[in-house]
Amino acid sequence: MPVEITWWGHATCAVEDANIRVLTDPLFAGRLAHLRRRRGVLPPAGARRADVVLVSHLHADHLHVPSLACFGPGTRLLVPRGAPRAVPGLRRLRGLRVTEVVPGDEVRIGEVLVRVVPALHDGRRLPVGPRRSPALGFVVEGEARTYFAGDTGLFDAMAERVGPVDVALLPVGGWGPFLGEGHLDAGRAARALARLAPRVAVPVHYGTYWPIGMDAVRPHEFHAPGDEFVRLAAVAAPQVAVHRLGHGESVRLEVAR
């Protein structure tokens, strides 16, 4: 059975594997605070469904409570440990089955196993939130092993902690003219790809949201990361097939292990 990956923009991806639909860091907003969606239509109502939703960390562009409220009763939601305390809005989503997780945890949904892996990123709810929650990545294991990195920097033990994967959904940019620590740009993502050595990669987390009023400030940081990643990945990891998807586009993968 093929695995299907759909990129809806920013860090929001749908992974359909073994008849289970997984959605990552859902963000269904045309505007979020000072950010405006500049590319890609919002996912239609039919796309806003999942058997399990994965939230990588507490930043508002990854844990967006109004978007989580779109999911039907009984939807599984995996969040970093401490998230309900740090984000009170989560506690009002009573129809969702919320599970707090940390690296090393495993959660089974049907024929899919979700492994929780570490990420190198500030996991706090910003700009406030004294409580710290870990930033996470996830590996969805069904017919394929699909790694969703969330937000992360490059760290020495990445390949060891993530483990063997077939597909890597890697962030290659951000939502502003500068990337801080704990992020992958196109170059660092290509180096991560060489370490992880999946069969397939899809660049995400770029080219969707941009600060209002900053259209002319380093616009190449908005437009270029996807193509730059394709170019650099061909040098750093030529054995990996890279699919640069447009917003709302999908790729179907036959992965034999």
Side-chain angles (χ1 to χ4, degrees):
M1 179 183 299
V3 176
E4 184 168 281
I5 310 288
T6 304
W7 181 50
W8 288 110
H10 202 53
T12 305
C13 301
V15 180
E16 299 192 54
D17 190 340
N19 293 315
I20 296 295
R21 181 176 171 84
V22 181
L23 214 64
T24 66
D25 287 352
L27 182 55
F28 308 143
R31 177 174 176 176
L32 174 64
H34 64 298
L35 304 180
R36 175 169 56 92
R37 189 176 181 112
R38 295 189 58 203
R39 276 190 176 175
V41 298
L42 294 176
R48 304 182 189 191
R49 56 179 180 81
D51 297 294
V52 60
V53 176
L54 310 179
V55 172
S56 64
H57 62 289
L58 306 192
H59 293 175
D61 57 323
H62 293 259
L63 195 168
H64 185 245
V65 174
S67 294
L68 295 177
C70 294
F71 293 98
T75 302
R76 294 290 300 272
L77 175 62
L78 306 189
V79 300
R81 184 173 61 191
R85 290 179 299 165
V87 186
L90 269 179
R91 300 197 293 270
R92 294 192 289 271
L93 302 178
R94 301 188 182 278
L96 303 185
R97 298 165 58 197
V98 179
T99 302
E100 300 178 51
V101 294
V102 296
D105 287 348
E106 296 182 348
V107 180
R108 181 165 291 281
I109 300 96
E111 296 300 314
V112 162
L113 179 71
V114 178
R115 291 195 295 109
V116 186
V117 299
L120 181 64
H121 191 69
D122 185 347
R124 292 177 298 167
R125 184 71 162 183
L126 300 175
V128 296
R131 298 187 180 92
R132 287 188 172 270
S133 292
L136 308 173
F138 299 92
V139 179
V140 178
E141 296 190 354
E143 298 291 330
R145 298 164 296 191
T146 301
Y147 170 47
F148 169 64
D151 256 354
T152 188
L154 190 65
F155 55 97
D156 290 340
M158 176 178 276
E160 177 185 348
R161 299 298 301 274
V162 171
V165 293
D166 303 299
V167 183
L169 311 179
L170 292 180
V172 301
W175 52 252
F178 300 100
L179 278 176
E181 293 185 4
H183 292 87
L184 295 179
D185 61 10
R188 291 191 290 271
R191 288 164 56 197
L193 197 64
R195 296 184 184 186
L196 295 166
R199 300 183 183 189
V200 174
V202 176
V204 302
H205 203 278
Y206 77 99
T208 308
Y209 292 91
W210 201 249
I212 294 169
M214 296 188 68
D215 290 11
V217 179
R218 297 174 64 86
H220 64 283
E221 296 290 351
F222 178 82
H223 295 285
D227 288 334
E228 187 176 2
F229 174 71
V230 172
R231 178 177 62 82
L232 295 174
V235 176
Q239 76 282 8
V240 180
V242 178
H243 296 269
R244 189 185 69 78
L245 301 178
H247 292 79
E249 289 186 348
S250 303
V251 58
R252 291 173 65 87
L253 309 168
E254 294 282 355
V255 180
R257 285 195 270 150

